[in-house]
Amino acid sequence: MSKRRKNQRAEATPKREKVRDVFVPRPFEGLADEPEWIALRELVPAASAPLRLTPELVEEYGDRPVVLATVLPMAAPAVAQPDGRVLIGLQRHQQSGDVSRDLADALLCALRTEPGKQVSVPPLPGPGPRLQDILVDGPLEITMHDGFEFWLEPGAADDPTVQASLERANAAIYPTVKLDAARAAYWCQVPEKAHVRWVLPDDEDAALDALSRLGAAGELTLGEGTKFAGMFRAHGRLTPVWDLPEDTPAAEWEGPVAEFAKRYAEALGEREPLDAAGRRARQGLLGRQLTLR
């Protein structure tokens, strides 16, 4: 092929626009329930919460029910159900560096999709509206589920294939209870142990200093038989984790978690720099960071 024909062919073939990915360390910043968004994405296996669209979107797409789900079938980003409901999955396979933008794009794609049809969502959405732009913000009204039946239309579970798939999904759920003692605190039971995990609402440095003060004072545990296992970072917030006796029911940890939350709030309010013991405790905590999941 001549050079001239190569140039003509290149000119006739439009170049694909490259989507630039941008990492956002706190994708849920600005939302009223930021710690709960993080908990539902990172800690909770099966839960849902209704979402409210802005008036502009309601005018454009109608007042369709929108439900936030921890995870959807096959970790799909969104489902447009035949009855008009839209389900958005927090835990999904493909994602960009901005989780809020991903979720907003999935929601908008679902709203544009005919009910009952498969929702097509690009892996990298590019610039555009985020959750903070398309939702009426407020506290999440979270419903915990023992299984994923909330995915289904009425009567769908009567199908043997659907039932078998549902049973497999439900088998992967570990018992999880939302605690009332602190927002975004959850008890869970895994083989041979139980945990409390609490997504703290505060700035990472301030939270770490408060935990360091408690560590230096020997007040990091939730009582006898418990152990402060460490902490992990998730979406710009710290999540401390406690190991608990596996045979103690979740309800019995409401009191200890409430007492710890009070101690933590008092430590958070201290403004003096950390003393030597606090600095040592801080270094110890940094060395005990856990791997998420």
Side-chain angles (χ1 to χ4, degrees):
M1 184 182 294
S2 68
K3 185 175 181 181
R4 180 179 178 185
R5 288 186 64 188
K6 284 183 179 179
N7 291 338
Q8 288 175 341
R9 186 173 178 181
E11 291 173 1
T13 305
K15 290 185 178 180
R16 287 187 179 181
E17 184 178 350
K18 187 175 181 180
V19 178
R20 180 170 174 265
D21 195 11
V22 177
F23 176 67
V24 178
R26 282 182 61 196
F28 305 114
E29 182 179 8
L31 293 174
D33 241 351
E34 180 184 11
E36 287 289 13
W37 282 87
I38 296 171
L40 293 182
R41 179 171 166 83
E42 303 296 346
L43 306 181
V44 181
S48 62
L51 301 177
R52 291 177 58 202
L53 299 173
T54 60
E56 295 80 8
L57 287 182
V58 171
E59 183 177 349
E60 184 174 358
Y61 297 106
D63 194 10
R64 296 173 65 179
V66 178
V67 178
L68 176 71
T70 47
V71 67
L72 293 175
M74 305 298 292
V79 172
Q81 294 194 323
D83 64 0
R85 281 197 311 159
V86 169
L87 303 182
I88 304 300
L90 266 170
Q91 302 169 21
R92 48 189 274 192
H93 293 310
Q94 292 183 318
Q95 59 194 30
S96 72
D98 184 356
V99 175
S100 178
R101 173 67 186 124
D102 292 340
L103 294 170
D105 192 54
L107 175 50
L108 293 173
C109 288
L111 290 172
R112 299 185 192 110
T113 301
E114 181 182 343
K117 300 296 185 181
Q118 184 173 352
V119 180
S120 178
V121 179
L124 290 178
R130 307 172 72 243
L131 288 175
Q132 292 85 337
D133 304 314
I134 66 174
L135 297 180
V136 176
D137 192 22
L140 293 175
E141 298 175 8
I142 297 170
T143 299
M144 303 292 291
H145 301 283
D146 295 326
F148 292 113
E149 286 78 8
F150 71 95
W151 286 345
L152 305 178
E153 291 288 310
D158 296 337
D159 184 320
T161 302
V162 173
Q163 184 63 41
S165 177
L166 192 63
E167 288 176 358
R168 287 194 297 271
N170 288 345
I173 295 176
Y174 49 82
T176 303
V177 176
K178 180 174 170 53
L179 299 178
D180 295 326
R183 196 72 176 163
Y186 290 83
W187 172 94
C188 68
Q189 188 172 44
V190 296
E192 300 183 357
K193 67 175 65 174
H195 301 293
V196 162
R197 299 181 288 186
W198 179 20
V199 182
L200 300 176
D202 311 292
D203 174 79
E204 282 191 17
D205 285 337
L208 182 56
D209 281 354
L211 294 174
S212 301
R213 295 181 197 279
L214 295 176
E219 297 181 337
L220 267 183
T221 72
L222 296 181
E224 186 177 353
T226 70
K227 174 187 175 184
F228 181 81
M231 61 187 182
F232 59 82
R233 286 184 166 93
H235 305 298
R237 288 293 177 255
L238 291 183
T239 300
V241 179
W242 292 268
D243 290 342
L244 314 173
E246 64 173 320
D247 54 351
T248 304
E252 295 192 21
W253 297 108
E254 293 282 7
V257 171
E259 291 170 6
F260 180 85
K262 183 179 179 181
R263 297 198 301 272
Y264 170 78
E266 292 172 352
L268 192 68
E270 294 190 29
R271 293 292 177 261
E272 292 296 320
L274 293 175
D275 59 16
R279 292 193 296 273
R280 286 194 298 271
R282 196 179 202 273
Q283 288 301 313
L285 288 173
L286 289 172
R288 295 169 67 182
Q289 291 190 65
L290 303 174
T291 301
L292 192 57
R293 297 187 200 273

